[in-house]
Amino acid sequence: MWAKLLSVAATIIFFAMVLCLQQDPKTSAFESLLICEGIVLTSLLISVFGTYFPQRPQILSSVQCDTAKITESLSKSLSSDGAKTQSRQFVEKMPLGLITTDQSGKIKTANLRALVLFRMAISMLKDTVITDVLEISVQGRPQSISFPKLIETSTGDLIDGFVKPRGSEKAVPVQVAIGTLSDEPSADYIFSLTDVSQRWEVEQMKQEFVEMVSHDLRTPLTMVALFFYTMQREQGSLSPELARLATKAESQIHRVINLVNSLLDVNMMRSGKLRIDRKLLSAEDLIEDAFASVYALACEKNISLTQQVQVKSVFADGERIQQVLQNLLTNAIKFSENSTEVMIAVTTNETSTLFQVIDQGRGIPAQSVNGIFERFDQLSVADSHGHKGFGLGLAICKLIIEEHGGSIGVQSEVGKGSQFWFTLPDP
């Protein structure tokens, strides 16, 4: 009988230890021993009852049922505690900074990586509004923002930002993703912060290189363009074929000069070196000057330039808005059929002025609209109808408008034309 009892006990010990280790590999030997002893003692009692009191099956059944319940409860407890421990370890060891806040933006928890980024203990960071230590990036420069505005701006997309480590004057560039811990309206927010310092340094080096090369190229290119211009003015000294080649060469050199200037503009804007000088300007004068800059191109295709202006003045940098209007008008004319119309409409609401450049061209396919304002993004050959560029014009327009604090976009339908628009905030 005792041999039978010992055999049962040994079997139960083995399976109990396996259960403990499976549920939580971090369970200590002492905890495992206590659990096993409880299971063994209970099992021995069951065996004793079965051996000495066979006339009481109802007692045996009750004890077996209670033992099963205790074992199941222990298993669930171990599983739950083990999962929580593993989750905590996973969060702490992540290479991302993770922060949770309440609905007002006050920090509740932060993992180790987040504390390292901010150089703060959790006791210092807790209850701090996250926008007091986190700023967004606007054209490469840190800018403070309110917590409600930050949540509104995120809309599920990654945000470029900067964290302000304690005791350091140098902000750390980060990419921020914002979500909620549940679908409840009052759910806490969770912020993930990725340190992008190395990528930022590479981007800065790239911008400096492009700026240096562009400056070094602009002067010799201008001299070459002047040489071909002078050649064309030498009446009778060139054969018709040489004159044609000289004209073509001058045109291509000016095209490269425009590319160099565009690259310089993009790098200046992205690095925050471009300053916008806003003034009150006449809206009609802006449009008339823009029409004058594309008049020759419009005449080649017999395109009418019209305007509908309901605003007397706008608050903007005249030179930069001229650059935007000229680019949008040039694209509208290039992609329009002969003998059609291109119109600029200007309206206003309580907070901003809306500019619209409307054409009757081929329109833009839906799959090409999303990235049209990105650098070096161009329509496919089929969509562009043979009009090739460098894909910088609309990217520059976007940077200029965003530097003004406005927004830019496009509405288009294939076969019916396009409507490019941008807004300028009122003073």
Side-chain angles (χ1 to χ4, degrees), residues 245 297 362:
L245 291 174
L297 184 62
R362 303 179 63 204

Side-chain angles (χ1 to χ4, degrees), residues 132-383:
D132 290 342
V133 290
L134 173 67
E135 297 176 316
I136 64 168
S137 174
V138 178
Q139 304 303 332
R141 300 194 302 273
Q143 178 174 305
S144 298
I145 188 173
S146 66
F147 182 74
K149 186 68 174 176
L150 176 62
I151 298 300
E152 180 185 341
T153 303
S154 64
T155 62
D157 297 328
L158 290 175
I159 302 172
D160 291 326
F162 294 90
V163 300
K164 298 180 288 187
R166 183 171 64 93
S168 175
E169 296 182 358
K170 185 178 180 181
V172 178
V174 293
Q175 269 197 335
V176 185
I178 305 174
T180 53
L181 292 177
S182 72
D183 295 330
E184 296 295 327
S186 59
D188 291 342
Y189 290 101
I190 182 167
F191 291 74
S192 73
L193 311 175
T194 306
D195 187 344
V196 291
S197 299
Q198 291 184 346
R199 192 183 72 186
W200 181 267
E201 291 173 3
V202 171
E203 183 70 19
Q204 292 295 108
M205 291 172 60
K206 183 181 71 175
Q207 290 181 2
E208 291 172 4
F209 174 76
V210 171
E211 189 172 337
M212 177 187 68
V213 171
S214 299
H215 276 299
D216 289 344
L217 279 175
R218 191 155 50 175
T219 299
L221 284 172
T222 302
M223 295 300 294
V224 173
L226 181 61
F227 169 75
F228 284 111
Y229 174 82
T230 305
M231 284 183 62
Q232 293 177 67
R233 298 303 176 271
E234 294 293 329
Q235 298 292 334
S237 60
L238 296 177
S239 66
E241 179 63 18
L242 286 176
R244 185 185 66 82
L245 291 174
T247 301
K248 187 174 182 179
E250 183 189 9
S251 174
Q252 292 300 315
I253 289 172
H254 279 297
R255 189 166 180 262
V256 176
I257 290 174
N258 288 335
L259 170 62
V260 171
N261 291 335
S262 296
L263 286 171
L264 283 172
D265 284 344
V266 168
N267 279 279
M268 287 177 65
M269 293 173 193
R270 288 180 62 84
S271 63
K273 296 178 182 179
L274 183 70
R275 294 293 180 262
I276 298 297
D277 183 18
R278 297 180 182 87
K279 297 177 183 177
L280 276 178
L281 305 168
S282 167
E284 288 189 356
D285 288 347
L286 274 176
I287 294 172
E288 289 296 335
D289 290 343
F291 280 166
S293 66
V294 297
Y295 178 76
L297 184 62
C299 287
E300 290 179 7
K301 302 184 71 172
N302 193 31
I303 288 177
S304 301
L305 302 175
T306 61
Q307 58 179 292
Q308 290 182 3
V309 183
Q310 302 175 11
V311 178
K312 289 185 178 181
S313 60
V314 294
F315 187 62
D317 184 319
E319 181 180 348
R320 292 300 174 182
I321 296 303
Q322 277 292 330
Q323 189 175 354
V324 173
L325 288 172
Q326 181 178 346
N327 191 284
L328 296 181
L329 285 170
T330 300
N331 286 345
I333 294 170
K334 283 182 177 180
F335 291 97
S336 291
E337 301 297 332
N338 292 347
S339 302
T340 55
E341 179 183 83
V342 172
M343 181 177 71
I344 293 182
V346 186
T347 56
T348 186
N349 57 27
E350 295 180 356
T351 59
S352 63
T353 300
L354 173 66
F355 284 76
Q356 296 169 290
V357 177
I358 306 167
D359 65 51
Q360 300 170 358
R362 303 179 63 204
I364 304 169
Q367 67 270 19
S368 300
V369 168
N370 291 335
I372 202 167
F373 291 99
E374 299 301 321
R375 285 184 298 170
F376 306 111
D377 189 272
Q378 294 178 281
L379 298 176
S380 66
V381 175
D383 297 331

Side-chain angles (χ1 to χ4, degrees), residues 12-52:
I12 293 173
I13 289 174
F14 173 76
F15 282 108
M17 290 296 293
V18 170
L19 172 66
C20 293
L21 292 175
Q22 281 184 338
Q23 298 299 332
D24 187 359
K26 297 295 183 181
T27 301
S28 67
F30 179 70
E31 290 172 333
S32 301
L33 183 60
L34 285 177
I35 294 169
C36 292
E37 284 180 354
I39 296 174
V40 169
L41 289 174
T42 305
S43 303
L44 285 173
L45 284 173
I46 294 172
S47 298
V48 170
F49 269 111
T51 305
Y52 291 101

Side-chain angles (χ1 to χ4, degrees), residues 46 49-50 52-64:
I46 294 172
F49 269 111
Y52 291 101
F53 300 99
Q55 71 279 18
R56 299 292 180 89
Q58 66 272 21
I59 297 177
L60 179 60
S61 176
S62 175
V63 172
Q64 285 176 328

